[in-house]
Amino acid sequence: MPTPADPLTGPAIDPASGRRRARLRAGARVVAAVAVVVALYVALVVTYALSDAATVDRKAVPRPDGGVAVILTARTITAAAGTMRVDVAIDPDPSLLGSDGYPSRPITVAVDPTEEDADLVFEADRRPQARQLTVLFDGDIQDWPFDRYTGSLTATVTVGQGADAVLVDSVIELDGSVQGWDLAESADPQAPDLLVDVSFHRSSAIMLFGLTLVLVLILLPVACWIVQVRLYRDRRLFEAGMLGWTAALLFATIPIRNFFPGSPPPGSWVDVLVVLWVVVALAAALFVGVAAWIRSPRPSP
């Protein structure tokens, strides 16, 4: 039987209908939250698939006649130091090779700027094997995960040793890929054969991964405060285990922060603007929980 209307207040509200509408609203919120999580997951998967360690596009500069092409193959990047570990290989002109296909005279390569600041000597009558160097770049890891590094690399090549050493024409190229980074190179318009401009930044997938972890950190105190405020207002039965749950969230903050890809150094913007305030908010929520425990009456015998 429908609920009769009150002449003073108007039609009465059916309690069952109100509960159904509340359940529908709650279900819609759950569906919306699940849709957001699924969308973020799909975006991360697609971004990772599209930006997975793409090989750098090499500039189209031919090897000079009678000269040497110096090829740098990227291997690893250390963002904190602004360095890239590369393999250095050479491609000499046939006129510089003997009948056995090996250099007829020693070939010395000087790449700048490098951490070692040393010349690489490829001996005569031997297969020119790749050597390793650490090249330097300008950038600041404090901008993580949006840090970007740039630099100009040069290569000087001489053939022979001592008084017989002769400077020959050379070109320098960058090749290879590094997981989690996007690399690019371009010829310098002032000296396209001698200088190459190199830049690299974190891939879109790594950026999205890091920002997702930042979002997770922000959600921790939000969830904690929702629970603790309701406990303090006596809208939920207080349980002592909630204090342990809050403390667990507090101690989980640092492991999540240390899981950031690229390991940004302490004191970067993410620490000052996010991690510090997450810790403060969780500690304050813990005190709200203690206050709720103090206000909670002891049950009667």
Side-chain angles (χ1 to χ4, degrees):
M1 176 181 297
T3 305
D6 190 320
L8 298 179
T9 60
I13 299 176
D14 185 3
S17 176
R19 286 194 295 270
R20 283 196 299 270
R21 285 195 293 270
R23 286 196 296 268
L24 289 175
R25 288 194 296 268
R29 288 193 291 268
V30 172
V31 171
V34 172
V36 170
V37 173
V38 172
L40 287 175
Y41 179 78
V42 172
L44 181 59
V45 171
V46 173
T47 305
Y48 181 82
L50 294 177
S51 63
D52 184 24
T55 302
V56 64
D57 293 330
R58 297 170 61 178
K59 62 186 179 67
V61 177
R63 180 186 59 200
D65 294 335
V68 176
V70 180
I71 303 172
L72 308 181
T73 303
R75 294 304 181 193
T76 59
I77 291 175
T78 304
T83 61
M84 178 192 298
R85 193 71 173 171
V86 298
D87 290 342
V88 182
I90 59 173
D91 180 19
D93 187 80
S95 62
L96 301 177
L97 304 178
S99 58
D100 55 2
Y102 299 155
S104 57
R105 291 187 295 170
I107 299 177
T108 303
V109 178
V111 179
D112 289 307
T114 63
E115 194 174 65
E116 295 84 358
D117 196 22
D119 297 341
L120 301 179
V121 179
F122 297 86
E123 300 293 342
D125 301 324
R126 294 183 182 180
R127 183 191 302 273
Q129 297 181 345
R131 310 291 182 82
Q132 286 195 334
L133 280 178
T134 304
V135 292
L136 305 176
F137 293 89
D138 295 326
D140 191 357
I141 195 177
Q142 300 285 350
D143 299 330
W144 177 96
F146 308 107
D147 44 336
R148 181 179 296 268
Y149 302 84
T150 59
S152 298
L153 304 179
T154 63
T156 304
V157 180
T158 57
V159 176
Q161 287 182 326
D164 297 330
V166 178
L167 184 67
V168 298
D169 294 334
S170 63
V171 296
I172 183 172
E173 303 175 5
L174 179 67
D175 196 8
S177 61
V178 180
Q179 180 69 32
W181 294 88
D182 288 340
L183 282 69
E185 70 158 8
S186 60
D188 191 286
Q190 302 299 325
D193 297 340
L194 303 176
L195 198 65
V196 61
D197 293 329
V198 179
S199 64
F200 55 90
H201 58 85
R202 300 183 192 275
S203 64
S204 301
I206 295 299
M207 288 185 187
L208 187 56
F209 179 34
L211 294 177
T212 301
L213 289 179
V214 172
L215 178 61
V216 169
L217 278 180
I218 295 174
L219 291 178
L220 291 183
V222 172
C224 190
W225 269 88
I226 291 174
V227 173
Q228 299 293 12
V229 168
R230 294 186 70 87
L231 288 177
Y232 185 80
R233 293 180 176 179
D234 294 331
R235 294 185 178 180
R236 286 291 185 272
L237 179 64
F238 178 83
E239 296 180 6
M242 299 305 299
L243 297 179
W245 172 71
T246 305
L249 293 182
L250 183 60
F251 284 102
T253 301
I254 300 305
I256 294 176
R257 186 258 181 256
N258 291 337
F259 193 58
F260 287 165
S263 300
S268 57
W269 72 268
V270 71
D271 290 331
V272 176
L273 301 182
V274 178
V275 178
L276 174 62
W277 296 104
V278 167
V279 172
V280 171
L282 288 174
L286 183 60
F287 278 98
V288 173
V290 172
W293 172 75
I294 294 174
R295 292 180 72 248
S296 179
R298 178 178 299 179
S300 302

